Amino acid sequence: MQNSAAIKLESANQQAARPQVTKGEAAFGHRLPSGHLICDLCPRFCELAPGQRGWCQTRYNRRGRLWAANYNWLSILQFGRIESVPLVEYANGGVVLKVGSFGCNFKPQAEREHFGAQVGSGRSFTPLDLANICRSLVKQGCIGAAYLFAEPLMWYEFVMQSAMLLKQCDMRNVLATAGFVNPRPMQELLPYLDAVRFDLFAFDSAFYRNKMQISFAEVLISLKLLANSPVHLEVATPLLPGQNDEPEDVARIAAYLAQNYGPDIPYHLLAPAGGLSPEQKEKIMCCADAAGSILHRVYLS
């Protein structure tokens, strides 16, 4: 078995019947007297006129009701070791079915398509399909599902329903998130999560405001909720060349984590994709040294 072999979507049809494309009604929204809707899933609180989509391109006003355009839509399906999430201190290895859809509510300087598949790619897929495939792969070492790519919390209804089904099957749920979500949705999902990789891009409110166009304070609230829960937590910093990859940038993150969550919290530095120059490799090693001088468990991925 290859550790990170991708499963073609066509082959999944052999294990789960192809359903009709279904778009489900979304949770966490309320109506204004004007007939517009407010989406309450994330702190953007997008106001949506009929037919309008929110920032994430997944939540929309359908004739006065809030719907999730990506509810039953699978863009990415991979079978790989849990270390590839990456989570290196959880479940003694094992493999997970890594899944994702479209939708993102943050915008780094890099183009948004680098953080997940876009509208129109993939196929219809239900939470029951996911649970059935995970169960069929138990003999291959599958321990559950990992919700990754783009921002899986913008796929909230699918993730919640899938996580509930997998829990009933005594299987595990892993989430990778940047944490820009309101507390109530996160709290309701927490009982069904087993492990989380939390992406902390910087310890700098200006970076989050200018580069990602989101509130750093809201991200820290999500991190605190996870850290104070029974969920296994590992923090990661995806390094963006020229933006957050100076040793002093990483040291600020490490210092915050050590002070608030202890020096033993697992911490990952995620190198940029593609070939790296010798200078870039040297800078990443300097970042790792900076983090390692503060935290005890630092990993390069």
Side-chain angles (χ1 to χ4, degrees):
M1 180 184 66
Q2 297 180 358
N3 287 349
S4 298
I7 301 175
K8 293 183 179 179
L9 292 177
E10 291 81 2
S11 67
N13 295 338
Q14 301 171 8
Q15 304 178 62
R18 180 188 291 273
Q20 296 298 312
V21 174
T22 302
K23 296 178 180 179
E25 193 162 358
F28 305 109
H30 67 275
R31 187 193 307 271
L32 297 177
S34 65
H36 291 196
L37 298 176
I38 299 294
C39 176
D40 299 318
L41 179 61
C42 91
R44 291 193 184 278
F45 294 106
C46 292
E47 181 176 341
L48 308 176
Q52 186 177 8
R53 291 197 184 205
W55 175 282
C56 64
Q57 293 299 300
T58 69
R59 331 279 288 178
Y60 70 103
N61 184 335
R62 182 186 182 189
R63 296 191 292 272
R65 301 176 76 174
L66 186 65
W67 283 68
N70 61 350
Y71 168 66
N72 272 8
W73 199 248
L74 181 76
S75 298
I76 298 174
L77 179 66
Q78 295 176 345
F79 190 52
R81 298 201 67 81
I82 198 166
E83 291 88 349
S84 68
V85 171
L87 288 172
V88 298
E89 297 192 10
Y90 178 70
N92 295 319
V95 291
V96 288
L97 198 63
K98 301 190 292 184
V99 294
S101 188
F102 65 86
C104 181
N105 66 338
F106 60 92
K107 186 178 180 182
Q109 188 72 11
E111 295 181 6
R112 289 176 72 172
E113 56 262 30
H114 293 171
F115 287 81
Q118 299 301 294
V119 177
S121 63
R123 76 169 185 92
S124 180
F125 203 82
T126 70
L128 184 58
D129 294 334
L130 177 62
N132 285 337
I133 292 179
C134 286
R135 291 177 64 190
S136 74
L137 294 170
V138 168
K139 290 184 179 179
Q140 282 87 352
C142 183
I143 62 173
Y147 311 96
L148 309 169
F149 312 108
E151 173 49 72
L153 290 177
M154 297 302 101
W155 200 23
Y156 186 91
E157 291 74 21
F158 183 96
V159 171
M160 171 63 90
Q161 293 177 25
S162 298
M164 293 172 70
L165 284 173
L166 287 174
K167 276 291 186 183
Q168 292 174 12
C169 301
D170 293 322
M171 302 194 79
R172 306 186 194 188
N173 294 291
V174 172
L175 176 74
T177 180
F180 189 56
V181 68
N182 284 324
R184 182 184 164 200
M186 179 67 83
Q187 289 169 335
E188 292 192 9
L189 184 60
L190 272 176
Y192 304 99
L193 294 178
D194 297 285
V196 172
R197 186 200 87 202
F198 192 95
D199 289 344
L200 190 60
F201 286 84
F203 191 75
D204 183 350
S205 59
F207 176 93
Y208 271 85
R209 181 176 61 252
N210 299 329
K211 301 294 186 182
M212 304 186 68
Q213 301 180 30
I214 62 178
S215 165
F216 182 48
E218 304 290 348
V219 170
L220 292 184
I221 289 172
S222 293
L223 178 58
K224 185 176 180 179
L225 280 173
L226 288 164
N228 291 337
S229 77
V231 170
H232 175 83
L233 176 65
E234 300 187 18
V235 178
T237 296
L239 295 174
L240 305 175
Q243 299 181 54
N244 67 347
D245 61 344
E246 295 296 334
E248 52 267 33
D249 298 331
V250 172
R252 282 195 289 271
I253 296 173
Y256 170 80
L257 293 175
Q259 180 177 356
N260 289 274
Y261 306 115
D264 289 324
I265 187 169
Y267 179 61
H268 300 259
L269 291 171
L270 307 183
L276 298 175
S277 68
E279 292 78 13
Q280 288 175 315
K281 292 179 181 178
E282 178 64 25
K283 179 177 279 190
I284 290 172
M285 293 306 299
C286 290
C287 288
D289 289 341
S293 67
I294 301 169
L295 299 172
H296 297 161
R297 292 136 81 176
V298 176
Y299 302 94
L300 288 177
S301 302

